[in-house]
Amino acid sequence: MKIYNTLTGSKQDFVPMEPGKVKMYACGITVSGEAHIGHAYQALIYDIIRKYFQKKGYKVTYARNYTDVDDKIIARALETGIPADKYAEDMIAEIDKQMRRFKVDDPTVWIKATECMDDIIKFISALIEKGHAYATLKGDVYFSVESFPAYGALSHRNLDDAANGVRVENDELKNNPLDFALWKSAKPGEPYWESPWGRGRPGWHIECSAMNYKTFGESIDVHGGGRDLIFPHHENEIAQTEALTGRQFVKYWIHNGLIKVNGQKMSKSLGNSLLLKDLLNKYSPETVKFALLSTNYRGDINITDSLFPEAEKHMSEFYRVFLQAEEAGIPAAGENPEIDADFDRCMDDDFNTALALSRLFGLFKGIRAKIAAGDKSAGADLNQIKNTYSLLGLFGESPAEFIAFAESKREEGIPAEIISIAEERRAAREKKDWAASDRLREELLKAGYAVKDTKEGYTLEKKN
């Protein structure tokens, strides 16, 4: 099993620090707004990686955090007039609700920054004692980048490159423009905690280091996050933690690609964020997952108008094969170990979900041929696909319900009973029962709907 490690810039054999066990952490959501497709994608990727480790026989402890105190959260609280802690609490509840709809499992451990404040303060105090951090007269605390010679190893930058690649916080009391905040003194009206340096709150970077240290100790096997976090966030995590412990913090750094919308990076400032709840009102969670996982996790995903409709079309066609088997009296039962072994070969190559999904087209083509020939082994193939690809969150729905939902959303407002008649007609055509097909077409026409056959299946149109 090979994993691409951002730290080394290469694929490496996965060997955990402790045989049979994996300690894994992924940066979660800063709850300054509702869950969007980028949040969903990252949660999906690391849930799948965790589950694949488990499939390989590892005992996995997977921690994920919520950043519930932050500049953006405070700004939104001021805009809305809701206290920052209440605003964060409400956002977490809403985000959790949408992630349940998306059917992504919880991590082993949830961590919130505000629940680790004593740990954060102790962490910062220890860094000051070791000479890696300093407090200013204003009550701010900064990490001294020059005190950590390995700074830049993850992002492969030297200090000059780093200075050009980060937006520097202006503070004349800093020793070096690159030094970053560990503790921020409280401004009027902001939430605060008492500390040895005065009232304030933690900087963003120290939160993840302290939460990791509290949960796992000095070192972990895997740390995940978006590629945009490599610098400065993850670089700063390494500096803080290794300066404190003197040991390697993370053995394998994993970073997923970014979400783009029609070629542009998704961002609130551009107004092109796609909220998860809006997507799930239109598409099945499995459709969204198929679309996202069809690109290798390290690559950027470009969301165009056709991305989700194409994914829905493919998933509907796959589910129709399950229906064909049912209609032919072939139960989805038994095993085909080669399907599972081939899936593992794909996933062993840096969790290559795109390659694993590409296998489905050939598999279902072969299954259709088996069904037409009355070959009962089609049932074992279908059952194995259902069991194996459940790791990616696919094939867990009722075939008829998935297709009905897809059709009802594609042709908004078409009743489920009309979809049912159209599906019955499709099945009749596949059996070459032309008399039944014509009868059902007339039934649809009498109900006010015209059906048009396509290569993918059919479309329905309401007649005036």
Side-chain angles (χ1 to χ4, degrees), residues 100-357:
R100 299 289 176 279
R101 290 180 66 197
F102 192 46
K103 299 181 181 178
V104 171
D105 290 344
D106 283 340
T108 318
V109 182
W110 269 121
I111 324 171
K112 295 178 185 176
T114 55
E115 295 174 350
C116 300
M117 208 55 64
D118 288 345
D119 303 278
I120 291 169
I121 290 170
K122 288 177 185 176
F123 200 115
I124 296 171
S125 297
L127 286 173
I128 292 173
E129 290 172 13
K130 285 176 172 284
H132 291 288
Y134 57 93
T136 70
L137 294 175
K138 288 198 314 185
D140 298 307
V141 181
Y142 291 99
F143 183 88
S144 172
V145 169
E146 288 182 332
S147 76
F148 187 72
Y151 191 80
L154 181 68
S155 55
H156 308 291
R157 305 175 186 221
N158 58 36
L159 286 182
D160 289 337
D161 293 334
N164 293 327
V166 65
R167 185 172 55 192
V168 173
E169 296 177 62
N170 292 320
D171 186 340
E172 61 188 17
L173 298 178
K174 287 203 296 186
N175 294 343
N176 184 312
L178 272 180
D179 294 349
F180 55 88
L182 302 176
W183 189 259
K184 296 183 176 185
S185 56
K187 297 187 177 83
E190 290 186 346
Y192 64 82
W193 285 260
E194 298 290 349
S195 81
W197 319 287
R199 292 176 172 179
R201 57 189 170 84
W204 175 36
H205 312 299
I206 193 64
E207 292 177 352
C208 281
S209 285
M211 288 187 282
N212 251 305
Y213 191 75
K214 178 181 181 179
T215 306
F216 295 113
E218 295 180 337
S219 300
I220 61 175
D221 296 287
V222 175
H223 193 315
R227 193 177 67 238
D228 54 335
L229 298 183
I230 295 173
F231 187 85
H233 184 53
H234 288 163
E235 196 75 73
N236 291 353
E237 276 193 63
I238 292 172
Q240 295 161 161
T241 305
E242 295 188 3
L244 177 72
T245 68
R247 295 187 57 189
Q248 184 177 19
F249 171 34
V250 177
K251 191 171 183 182
Y252 301 92
W253 283 92
I254 300 178
H255 292 95
N256 59 275
L258 307 180
I259 299 285
K260 296 182 177 180
V261 179
N262 294 318
Q264 286 187 306
K265 181 182 175 182
M266 190 178 73
S267 70
K268 288 180 183 177
S269 61
L270 292 174
N272 62 355
S273 293
L274 296 174
L275 293 183
L276 179 58
K277 69 178 183 183
D278 294 338
L279 270 178
L280 295 180
N281 286 339
K282 190 170 183 180
Y283 299 104
S284 159
E286 293 197 10
T287 291
V288 178
K289 289 174 183 178
F290 186 92
L292 297 177
L293 298 175
S294 293
T295 297
N296 182 269
Y297 80 91
R298 286 195 291 119
D300 292 344
I301 296 176
N302 187 28
I303 296 180
T304 61
D305 292 341
S306 64
L307 180 68
F308 296 112
E310 281 292 313
E312 183 181 69
K313 180 188 77 173
H314 294 316
M315 286 300 299
S316 295
E317 287 302 300
F318 296 153
Y319 268 120
R320 283 193 174 99
V321 179
F322 281 90
L323 286 179
Q324 289 169 13
E326 289 177 18
E327 292 159 1
I330 301 174
E335 296 180 346
N336 182 336
E338 179 49 39
I339 290 174
D340 194 63
D342 187 58
F343 176 86
D344 284 2
R345 283 192 289 271
C346 297
M347 293 292 286
D348 279 346
D349 182 13
D350 195 31
F351 313 107
N352 198 336
T353 59
L355 184 59
L357 290 183

Side-chain angles (χ1 to χ4, degrees), residues 5-30:
N5 187 351
T6 306
L7 186 64
T8 62
S10 63
K11 289 182 184 179
Q12 295 179 284
D13 289 326
F14 179 71
V15 181
M17 294 179 295
E18 185 178 349
K21 295 183 179 180
V22 175
K23 296 178 180 179
M24 174 177 165
Y25 178 92
C27 285
I29 301 172
T30 298

